[in-house]
Amino acid sequence: MTEQKLVVSRTRMRFNQLISGAREFASVYMRSKPGLLGLAILFFFIFTAVFAPFISPYNPYTRVDRPLRPPSNKYILGTNDIGQDIFSELIYGTRVSLTIGFLAALCTVVIGTLVGVVSGFLGGSVDEVLMRFTDVIMILPNIPLLILLMAIFGRQSYFIMILAISITGWTGTARMVRSSTLSIKERAYVEASKAIGAGEGHIILKHILPNVSPLIMATMIYQVAGAMMSEAGLSFLGLGDPSTKSWGMVLHYAQTSGGWYANQGYPAWWWIVPPGLLIALTVASLVLIGQTMEEIINPRLRRR
Amino acid sequence: MKNLSVSLIDREDSIAIVEGVDLSIREGETVGLIGPTGAGKTITAKAILGILQPIGAGKPPWSIEGEALYKGRDLFELSEEELRELRGNEVSMIFQKPTGSLNPILEVGEQTGEPVDAHEEIERQRLRDMVIDHLGKVELPDARRRFRFFRHQFSGGEAQRIMIASALICNPSLIIADEPTSDLDVTVQRQVLELLKRVKKKFGLSMLLITHDLGVIAEMSDYVYVMYAGRIIEHGDVYEIFEDPKHPFTRGLLRSAPRIDSDHFELEGMRGELPQPPYDVPGCVFHPRCNHVKDMCREKKPTLTEYKPGHYVACLQTDEI
């Protein structure tokens, strides 16, 4: 190997390291059938979200026909109370639901990791204060708190909804990251690092975070599922942005605009069932992915 | 170079773990610190560097008394920031478990360079060159290729070489080696010790070598301190200690180790068990296990007294035994 090849830049080196790690992870992951199924479903939805304008047959925001038409060749899932195509609504809704799910999960995990690492690493009174604070947030019932937050601050804003979901959801992650940090900071290499004069920031960045990151990744997937359900629930209750279409929002209108008896006195099933199924399917795919990742990270869970 | 006296007190019950230890290391000298498991050797070393961890969560921190003079500065008076500067740059430590001391998910090259990285901003390329250079100096085979490997791709001996390279990379003047070879098998032990000897000479280092292995001490050090139950009980020149041990514990220790140059194959054990802290034995801490015990040993605490020039013993009966 030549001298020039050896002197690779740090980012390049990190990148290579990441690639080789990811490749190893992927090769194990590909052996899991449930994992692949979950990934396939999720990719299908992501694809739908990205290419929504090309896939949906109609503009979901304009009236295309008479209201409350049952499914037909022209409208796969019929129309809603103001004559919009429900199939197109749901395709566009994928965008909103997934975006909120991932963004809220990201915020949740960032807050949780920060609190967990700081609490576990510094210990002492900082740990005590942060953990008691975590306990307080944890025992507050999540859904009522979310509703309250949304009702006070965030009516009709998805930005506030993401914040509200992260504010109520970070506690579990913080606990997990803290306990993991506690065990990692006692390892010999952390002591060795201290002995050669490394500061706290250096130890956290170089030793603690890389070692908790697999755990964080797996939690994050579950958080996405949780955040998507929170979004659906809040939107269903009418706390979402009424001008945007998400799956929860579609359900909300079905509920408030008479979806339960719009089909000649019977529920308009084409309006109510599909969004519910989509939410369930996405959450299921995320859980499958999360479980597969956990099995890789924690081999004790692996079935033989 | 320094004159160190450490007392450690666990504040809850104020248990003295190490008491009144005086230790001095002159420039370029290797000083051996020998004693049984739990005698307080490692605690002494960690106290010097200020890296003692409270035992368990919520326990009170250690209280350290006394002074540790290094090049005229008292380490216990330094701020955490100043201490951090000193660690790695001036005083480095090598730990017992080489594989455990390497982070499994960092490349060894990166960890070898960690002391530099922790202290100063340095160009990646220069650090890389330094790391390869130092890995070469500790005779790690194929360092150029392998500095990108991870710890599980190295043997225990190689891992310890990497730790030594890491300890040396900032050109410290004192190395504290805490049982550097206890975790290695015998042939590798030999290689690592030879290596330590060579780099010590090359870099003009002073070394504090902590071990319970008499062979290692005899091989490596110029001066020996014998520690028992948190106290120094005898110290002197290495030849002096091995030829004419005066403290009954040191004698027992030497007698219980095999010697290649003697026809005497029977090894003697020492009776009794290691004392556990708190050491609230009245009189001499060693008296319950001593073969020469007299009444005064049960009452009076011995102090280190000069037996020959440069040979100190803490025993009340030095002249009789």
Side-chain angles (χ1 to χ4, degrees), chain A:
Chain A
M1 203 182 269
T2 62
E3 189 72 26
Q4 289 211 312
K5 265 189 182 167
L6 278 174
V7 189
V8 278
S9 75
R10 185 184 182 76
T11 33
R12 180 66 191 278
M13 188 188 86
R14 275 261 173 257
F15 183 71
N16 289 341
Q17 210 173 313
L18 212 76
I19 290 294
S20 72
R23 211 175 265 158
E24 218 177 296
F25 187 87
S27 80
V28 183
Y29 190 95
M30 290 305 168
R31 270 179 253 149
S32 153
K33 273 180 198 152
L36 282 180
L37 179 68
L39 214 56
I41 298 173
L42 186 66
F43 271 127
F44 172 74
F45 281 122
I46 291 175
F47 180 84
T48 311
V50 172
F51 296 104
F54 304 101
I55 298 169
S56 60
Y58 303 99
N59 183 338
Y61 294 100
T62 52
R63 185 191 161 113
V64 290
D65 208 313
R66 289 210 320 274
L68 296 169
R69 298 204 56 153
S72 64
N73 283 340
K74 214 170 158 201
Y75 313 108
I76 301 176
L77 293 173
T79 56
N80 65 11
D81 61 318
I82 47 171
Q84 295 169 333
D85 180 41
I86 293 176
F87 183 58
S88 304
E89 273 193 303
L90 293 179
I91 287 173
Y92 272 86
T94 315
R95 283 186 158 180
V96 179
S97 295
L98 281 183
T99 312
I100 294 184
F102 275 97
L103 283 182
L106 193 69
C107 294
T108 309
V109 166
V110 167
I111 300 175
T113 306
L114 260 171
V115 173
V117 167
V118 168
S119 180
F121 189 77
L122 294 184
S125 51
V126 178
D127 181 32
E128 198 67 28
V129 169
L130 280 176
M131 277 303 114
R132 290 301 80 79
F133 181 61
T134 309
D135 288 344
V136 169
I137 303 277
M138 211 173 220
I139 53 157
L140 290 174
N142 254 353
I143 300 288
L145 183 63
L146 267 175
I147 294 171
L148 207 70
L149 282 174
M150 287 304 291
I152 298 171
F153 302 107
R155 230 173 310 179
Q156 305 169 3
S157 158
Y158 277 122
F159 174 69
I160 299 289
M161 187 183 281
I162 289 172
L163 278 188
I165 291 174
S166 349
I167 286 170
T168 52
W170 56 271
T171 48
T173 315
R175 282 265 179 113
M176 263 170 53
V177 170
R178 174 182 173 264
S179 61
S180 181
T181 305
L182 281 179
S183 105
I184 291 163
K185 82 167 178 182
E186 299 299 325
R187 308 257 163 97
Y189 50 79
V190 173
E191 189 174 36
S193 186
K194 257 183 222 162
I196 52 96
E200 289 176 344
H202 179 96
I203 290 173
I204 288 178
L205 283 180
K206 271 231 165 137
H207 295 294
I208 310 268
L209 276 184
N211 276 299
V212 293
S213 59
L215 182 77
I216 296 171
M217 292 302 282
T219 332
M220 164 116 183
I221 294 292
Y222 287 126
Q223 294 289 351
V224 175
M228 285 185 68
M229 288 207 285
S230 297
E231 182 273 330
L234 289 171
S235 296
F236 175 71
L237 293 173
L239 295 161
D241 180 352
S243 65
T244 319
K245 300 208 177 279
S246 75
W247 295 338
M249 226 50 221
V250 173
L251 272 176
H252 168 68
Y253 283 122
Q255 154 83 8
T256 53
S257 309
W260 290 99
Y261 37 85
N263 187 12
Q264 291 152 355
Y266 294 99
W269 56 267
W270 62 86
W271 199 2
I272 297 161
V273 177
L277 271 184
L278 286 178
I279 294 167
L281 201 60
T282 321
V283 170
S285 78
L286 288 165
V287 169
L288 286 177
I289 294 170
Q291 277 177 351
T292 312
M293 284 175 77
E294 264 188 339
E295 275 173 30
I296 296 174
I297 294 159
N298 183 357
R300 259 175 298 176
L301 293 176
R302 246 176 253 177
R303 265 171 273 139
R304 57 206 94 204

Side-chain angles (χ1 to χ4, degrees), chain B residues 24-316:
Chain B
S24 64
I25 303 166
R26 278 185 294 272
E27 220 173 308
E29 200 181 47
T30 301
V31 168
L33 183 59
I34 192 167
T37 308
K41 308 179 298 274
T42 303
I43 287 187
T44 307
K46 286 185 181 172
I48 297 172
L49 279 177
I51 53 168
L52 267 179
Q53 290 274 4
I55 304 167
K59 279 281 178 70
W62 298 86
S63 105
I64 301 172
E65 281 158 22
E67 54 181 8
L69 292 175
Y70 172 83
K71 291 185 175 165
R73 289 196 292 171
D74 185 356
L75 300 188
F76 298 152
E77 299 283 307
L78 294 182
S79 70
E80 182 58 30
E81 200 50 38
E82 288 170 308
L83 261 179
R84 218 166 63 66
E85 258 330 289
L86 187 115
R87 288 180 211 138
N89 275 338
E90 296 276 350
V91 185
S92 256
M93 189 153 174
I94 299 169
F95 288 90
Q96 184 172 359
K97 296 218 167 71
T99 41
S101 301
L102 288 168
N103 187 335
I105 59 170
L106 282 185
E107 293 169 6
V108 296
E110 203 175 338
Q111 284 194 76
T112 312
E114 205 180 353
V116 188
D117 196 32
H119 289 300
E120 53 192 302
E121 292 290 318
I122 184 170
E123 270 174 66
R124 288 294 129 193
Q125 292 198 0
R126 270 191 55 216
L127 181 58
R128 198 114 301 222
D129 293 342
M130 271 174 83
V131 165
I132 295 174
D133 184 41
H134 273 79
L135 287 178
K137 278 181 187 151
V138 295
E139 295 150 30
L140 184 78
D142 215 2
R144 274 189 184 282
R145 192 167 61 83
R146 296 208 297 172
F147 77 98
R148 300 248 302 265
F149 283 18
F150 295 95
R151 92 167 177 207
H152 61 272
Q153 288 157 306
F154 293 90
S155 69
E158 286 172 331
Q160 194 61 291
R161 281 169 199 272
I162 293 165
M163 291 312 291
I164 293 170
S166 174
L168 292 175
I169 201 160
C170 280
N171 289 316
S173 42
L174 171 65
I175 294 253
I176 300 175
D178 186 3
E179 312 210 14
T181 56
S182 317
D183 218 32
L184 307 171
D185 65 59
V186 190
T187 43
V188 181
Q189 267 186 22
R190 172 116 218 123
Q191 293 167 7
V192 169
L193 289 178
E194 290 294 327
L195 172 73
L196 270 177
K197 250 185 178 172
R198 273 198 299 274
V199 295
K200 205 202 114 200
K201 210 174 271 170
K202 206 190 267 173
F203 290 81
L205 299 167
S206 318
M207 197 184 310
L208 175 61
L209 182 67
I210 298 170
T211 179
H212 49 234
D213 188 332
L214 283 166
V216 171
I217 290 281
E219 181 79 20
M220 302 284 295
S221 52
D222 307 311
Y223 200 86
V224 185
Y225 286 83
V226 185
M227 207 165 174
Y228 181 84
R231 290 161 182 79
I232 299 288
I233 52 159
E234 183 166 10
H235 63 95
D237 185 82
V238 66
Y239 296 106
E240 183 66 31
I241 296 282
F242 275 82
E243 290 307 318
D244 188 16
K246 286 317 280 184
H247 196 285
F249 172 73
T250 316
R251 288 185 172 188
L253 198 66
L254 289 171
R255 243 180 261 138
S256 61
R259 287 185 72 126
I260 205 158
D261 56 357
S262 107
D263 310 326
H264 181 74
F265 285 111
E266 296 278 306
L267 294 180
E268 281 175 46
M270 260 182 275
R271 64 194 179 87
E273 290 172 18
L274 277 173
Q276 295 291 323
Y279 305 118
D280 45 11
V281 195
C284 172
V285 274
F286 188 64
H287 87 251
R289 301 176 68 190
C290 188
N291 290 327
H292 310 276
V293 63
K294 284 187 182 155
D295 282 346
M296 62 172 172
C297 299
R298 299 199 177 88
E299 288 149 20
K300 227 175 118 193
K301 282 205 188 297
T303 49
L304 279 168
T305 39
E306 196 161 20
Y307 159 70
K308 277 184 200 168
H311 184 171
Y312 293 80
V313 189
C315 182
L316 296 171

